[in-house]
Amino acid sequence: MLNLILFGPPGSGKGTQAENIIAKYGILHISTGDMFRYELSNNTELGQLAKSYMDKGELVPDSVTIAMLEKRVNENPDAKGIIFDGFPRTVAQAEALDALLASKGTEITTLLSLEVPTEELVARLLNRGHSSGRADDKDESIIRNRISVYHGDTKPVFDYYDEKRKAISIQGVGSIDDIFCSIQEQLDPLV
Ligand code: ADP
């Protein structure tokens, strides 16, 4: 199985590149951000809970996020691989993911981290806020809080996989096609 973590700060292009990756490699896409937005649009209890964190640019608590993720993985036993987008965002989530995959006799193949400077991220997200309707993209202070949560809570996930020699940095500035070329250079030898 090709089990990939697509990693990087908010606005680094994970969603865009995830689409390219699933089109080429045919693996299952799991985005926890998309799952929370789906719950929210259906006004479920989970959606309401997630909203109270998302609106502030904070992380939804690990227990809730991990349970939701595990359910989605368990619902797809025949996937030939999975791309995790927006998960894991804490070391506790990474440990839970590794344990889940180990229980299925598989593991994370690699983590690809899209590297983009902070001011470029803020500009991209504000721009996305004009068209996406995402509340968390409209306010610069919420955007900056998400980036600082990334540096505080999420960046250690890179180090966690780096210690296992599984983390790779990719330059995330440039054309979408050029960035996808760099991603393919990393993934093609693995499939
Ligand atoms: P972005 O990468 O642009 O911040 P996402 O769509 O991945 O956007 O996530 C939006 C919000 O959903 C996050 O700011 C956070 O509140 C919540 N969220 C998504 N994934 C997770 C996660 N793995 N753990 C905790 N909260 C999450």
Side-chain angles (χ1 to χ4, degrees), residues 8 10 18 42 44 51 59 61 71 75 83 86-87 90 134 143 155 160 169 171 174-175:
N42 286 291
T44 65
K51 179 176 161 49
L59 296 181
K71 182 164 172 279
E75 282 165 358
I83 174 165
F87 185 96
T90 63
R134 273 181 60 167
I143 289 173
K155 202 72 212 269
Y160 173 90
S169 293
Q171 161 73 262
S175 75

Side-chain angles (χ1 to χ4, degrees), residues 112-182:
L112 297 182
S113 177
L114 296 171
E115 308 293 338
V116 177
T118 298
E119 292 315 308
E120 165 84 11
L121 297 172
V122 174
R124 285 185 188 182
L125 290 168
L126 282 171
N127 192 37
R128 185 169 80 181
H130 292 309
S131 52
S132 73
R134 273 181 60 167
D136 58 348
D137 285 345
K138 291 206 188 319
D139 181 315
E140 184 165 339
S141 68
I142 295 173
I143 289 173
R144 289 196 185 272
N145 190 40
R146 284 153 64 201
I147 295 170
S148 93
V149 168
Y150 170 79
H151 286 292
D153 294 344
T154 304
K155 202 72 212 269
V157 172
F158 182 93
D159 304 330
Y160 173 90
Y161 286 104
D162 195 35
E163 276 168 25
K164 300 176 193 290
R165 300 279 170 269
K166 290 183 174 184
I168 294 167
S169 293
I170 304 253
Q171 161 73 262
V173 181
S175 75
I176 291 172
D177 285 351
D178 284 349
I179 296 164
F180 186 50
C181 278
S182 312

